[in-house]
Amino acid sequence: TECRETIKKICDSFAVSPIARDIIETASLVNGAGVGIELARAKHHANDPYFLQPMDGVDSTGYRASWWTQFYCILWRSWLSVLKDPMLVKVRLLQTAMVASLIGSIYFGQVLDQDGVMNINGSLFLFLTNMTFQNVFAVINVFSAELPVFLREKRSRLYRVDTYFLGKTIAELPLFIAVPFVFTSITYPMIGLKAGVSHYLTTLFIVTLVANVSTSFGYLISCASSSISMALS
């Protein structure tokens, strides 16, 4: 309804404009003349801005740009939006470091006895829950906030849905790799988990996968929700 009201306002404003009067006069002259005059006038006005011309560069799908061009532009725009808000990145990393230090302090220096095994199980549980909920809530408002802009640009055939989604997620991927890295690098040695580079890298890989799956789940909720409040609920 809002879109239709906006369109009606634009059409009403155009109807009383000088350009509209010129078009009406031109159309009346063309309709009143013979076929030869009509063709002549059509040829004369072929380059006028208010005559519809064939759209050059539009393929059969209706997009002016190729898939790769759309993907590159969306990726670049999304990356710029990430760079324009460096404080958010710093806060995310600081929050991760503080939570990791807290968990590492609680479970500091575990040994492999009966109590230590139980405590390590508890610490691994906190590994997963922290990476899950932290990353879900980090992206749960992304698509809900940008939905009006996306719908307008999608209706204008500026880009496909898949290029938008891939560009958006890949632009934010470095942060969702850095957060698990910071978290695991702090808690792993503090808790005293199994020593060795290969064991550390295996843990880091699994925690990164959990974080990115959680991010995808947050995107799913964000896409399925019509508002930020609904997504949070």
Side-chain angles (χ1 to χ4, degrees), residues 56-123:
D56 297 327
V58 179
D59 57 14
S60 58
T61 60
Y63 297 99
R64 287 183 179 272
S66 65
W67 191 95
W68 284 108
T69 304
Q70 295 175 34
F71 172 72
Y72 172 78
C73 292
I74 293 295
L75 178 63
W76 180 245
R77 185 176 73 173
S78 302
W79 178 245
L80 286 180
S81 67
V82 172
L83 295 180
K84 285 178 181 177
D85 199 0
M87 185 56 66
L88 181 62
V89 177
K90 292 176 183 176
V91 168
R92 285 287 311 281
L93 294 176
L94 180 62
Q95 174 194 4
T96 302
M98 290 174 64
V99 173
S101 301
L102 179 63
I103 294 174
S105 301
I106 294 172
Y107 293 97
F108 185 79
Q110 296 299 316
V111 293
L112 285 178
D113 54 16
Q114 186 62 39
D115 292 335
V117 170
M118 296 293 289
N119 290 335
I120 288 172
N121 282 338
S123 67

Side-chain angles (χ1 to χ4, degrees), residues 6 13 18 20 48 67 70 83 95 101 105-106 110 146 148 159 167 185 200 202 207 209 217 227:
T6 305
S13 300
D48 285 354
W67 191 95
Q70 295 175 34
L83 295 180
Q95 174 194 4
S101 301
S105 301
I106 294 172
Q110 296 299 316
E146 294 187 3
Y159 47 73
S185 299
Y200 164 77
T202 302
V207 172
L209 283 181
F217 186 68
S227 63

Side-chain angles (χ1 to χ4, degrees), residues 2 11 21 23 28 48 50 55 64 69 71 76 90 101 103 132 145 152 157 160 170-171 179 196 207 230-231:
E2 231 176 89
C11 292
R21 287 196 293 270
I23 292 175
S28 300
D48 285 354
Y50 44 79
M55 294 178 66
R64 287 183 179 272
T69 304
F71 172 72
W76 180 245
K90 292 176 183 176
S101 301
I103 294 174
T132 300
R152 184 174 68 245
R157 311 289 286 174
R160 297 168 173 80
I170 292 175
V179 167
V207 172
M230 185 182 292

Side-chain angles (χ1 to χ4, degrees), residues 148-204:
V149 176
F150 166 74
L151 290 175
R152 184 174 68 245
E153 294 178 342
K154 178 68 175 64
R155 290 191 190 111
S156 301
R157 311 289 286 174
L158 292 180
Y159 47 73
R160 297 168 173 80
V161 177
D162 55 345
T163 54
Y164 172 76
F165 181 79
L166 289 173
K168 188 79 180 163
T169 51
I170 292 175
E172 296 178 350
L173 187 61
L175 181 60
F176 296 122
I177 293 176
V179 167
F181 174 76
V182 171
F183 184 82
T184 307
S185 299
I186 294 174
T187 52
Y188 196 93
M190 288 184 71
I191 296 172
L193 298 176
K194 194 170 184 179
V197 176
S198 61
H199 302 302
Y200 164 77
L201 291 177
T202 302
T203 306
L204 178 60

